[in-house]
Amino acid sequence: MKALLHVKQLNKIYGKGTQQFHALQDISFKIEEGEFVGVMGSSGAGKSTLLNLLATIDTPTTGDIVIAGQTVSTMNADQLTDFRRDHLGFIFQDYNLLDSLTVQENILLPLAIAKKPAKVIAKKVEEIAQLFGIEKLLHKYPYEISGGQKQRTAASRALVTEPKLIFADEPTGALDSKSATELLHSFVRLNEEKEATIMMVTHDAYAASFCRRIIFIQDGKLALEIVKGTKTRQQFLEQILQTIAQMGGDRHDVI
Ligand code: ADP
């Protein structure tokens, strides 16, 4: 397997002079193609900072980020816009759907922007809607569907371009447990059947238990990582909860 994401000695310092805050310290890790990796850590650990750097929304103070063989930390604004559009998919907690467009129109938007032929668009929208189980909702508007269905629409839109690397930021944060479970199963299918590479930031141990590997961040540093291996999801969940407890976190903070 090949490293799709290679993070090298990443540091992020916010502010200047006496107001400086070292939010990330010497973070290095790799994500191989086809992995489903969770990033966990308590509030203030640096998860959002890391995600913003990887998503190319913010720049590191020092260090390199290499995605699909390209060093994104040195690209200019135009190069970043193209790179994000062509290689990355984003799923956020708050969906970011356009209310005046139907589910179908929301999903096909990135393909329309990329000027793909109508036939290709129709086929891809159908495929991805099926994967997320929203094929019956395509003509509805966001206000007519539930939170879970909105999130599956947002995920479909993020993934319809088949991005190399998918970043999900607390994707289950606003969902009830049934919708969260459905979404997580869709991620697992996407990962196993389409070999999508996913990095999901979450503070939720249950959501993290669907990943195959988890990286823990504590006080801006990479604290440790654990791998699911042959464990069942339930066993992995127990291991995650134990790890959080050992790290000094309150179990109830994260579930
Ligand atoms: P998490 O997502 O794990 O909750 P964050 O990445 O949001 O953590 O924050 C990590 C630390 O960096 C926190 O102590 C936070 O207060 C600080 N921080 C985040 N953004 C800024 C900023 N723009 N300026 C100064 N400090 C920041």
Side-chain angles (χ1 to χ4, degrees):
M1 284 210 279
K2 214 168 71 210
L4 183 56
L5 170 70
H6 194 168
V7 174
K8 301 178 189 172
Q9 295 280 308
L10 215 53
N11 281 275
K12 180 69 185 178
I13 300 171
Y14 289 116
K16 290 203 166 72
T18 52
Q19 298 297 310
Q20 274 194 358
F21 184 78
H22 208 146
L24 291 182
Q25 297 185 43
D26 290 328
I27 299 249
S28 296
F29 64 92
K30 284 181 185 176
I31 294 183
E32 313 278 340
E33 252 173 33
E35 280 202 282
F36 183 8
V37 177
V39 175
M40 295 195 82
S42 52
S43 182
K47 302 181 298 295
S48 306
T49 300
L50 175 65
L51 196 68
N52 287 343
L53 298 183
L54 300 182
T56 73
I57 294 164
D58 197 3
T59 49
T61 307
T62 60
D64 273 332
I65 299 164
V66 181
I67 302 177
Q70 299 192 56
T71 305
V72 291
S73 28
T74 55
M75 285 182 191
N76 65 32
D78 286 347
Q79 288 170 321
L80 282 177
T81 305
D82 289 349
F83 187 82
R84 271 200 292 269
R85 188 195 55 215
D86 295 339
H87 298 297
L88 306 181
F90 300 98
I91 302 167
F92 301 103
Q93 181 173 335
D94 51 5
Y95 325 127
N96 292 335
L97 295 178
L98 296 173
D99 289 332
S100 58
L101 301 183
T102 63
V103 164
Q104 174 162 272
E105 289 162 345
N106 265 288
I107 297 174
L108 65 76
L109 201 59
L111 296 175
I113 292 170
K115 298 198 170 61
K116 296 285 180 205
K119 264 192 186 161
V120 173
I121 293 182
K123 188 164 170 279
K124 287 200 181 291
V125 170
E126 194 188 305
E127 265 176 28
I128 197 87
Q130 245 169 30
L131 186 86
F132 280 99
I134 51 169
E135 63 273 34
K136 296 212 171 68
L137 307 175
L138 288 173
H139 297 292
K140 292 198 186 278
Y141 285 88
Y143 64 83
E144 298 178 295
I145 62 178
S146 70
Q149 292 166 338
K150 279 188 201 153
Q151 187 56 301
R152 282 184 278 147
T153 303
S156 300
R157 183 188 53 190
L159 307 177
V160 75
T161 54
E162 296 178 13
K164 281 204 174 72
L165 182 57
I166 297 153
F167 293 116
D169 188 8
E170 301 280 3
T172 57
L175 301 182
D176 60 76
S177 64
K178 182 169 174 282
S179 304
T181 302
E182 279 169 10
L183 184 77
L184 291 162
H185 279 298
S186 303
F187 282 1
V188 169
R189 270 205 306 281
L190 192 73
N191 173 248
E192 288 178 355
E193 292 169 20
K194 305 258 172 194
E195 287 161 27
T197 310
I198 308 172
M199 186 186 117
M200 176 171 76
V201 171
T202 184
H203 68 280
D204 176 3
Y206 173 73
S209 69
F210 285 78
C211 299
R212 295 203 233 168
R213 175 160 72 104
I214 300 174
I215 292 171
F216 288 87
I217 297 184
Q218 194 172 28
D219 302 328
K221 297 189 192 108
L222 206 151
L224 78 149
E225 63 171 59
I226 56 173
V227 175
K228 181 167 178 227
T230 54
K231 288 184 272 295
T232 64
R233 201 188 54 71
Q234 189 58 38
Q235 288 167 336
F236 196 38
L237 175 60
E238 277 307 313
Q239 188 184 9
I240 295 166
L241 292 170
Q242 270 167 19
T243 306
I244 291 164
Q246 278 161 12
M247 283 172 66
D250 177 354
R251 221 169 134 108
H252 299 290
D253 263 3
V254 291
I255 48 175

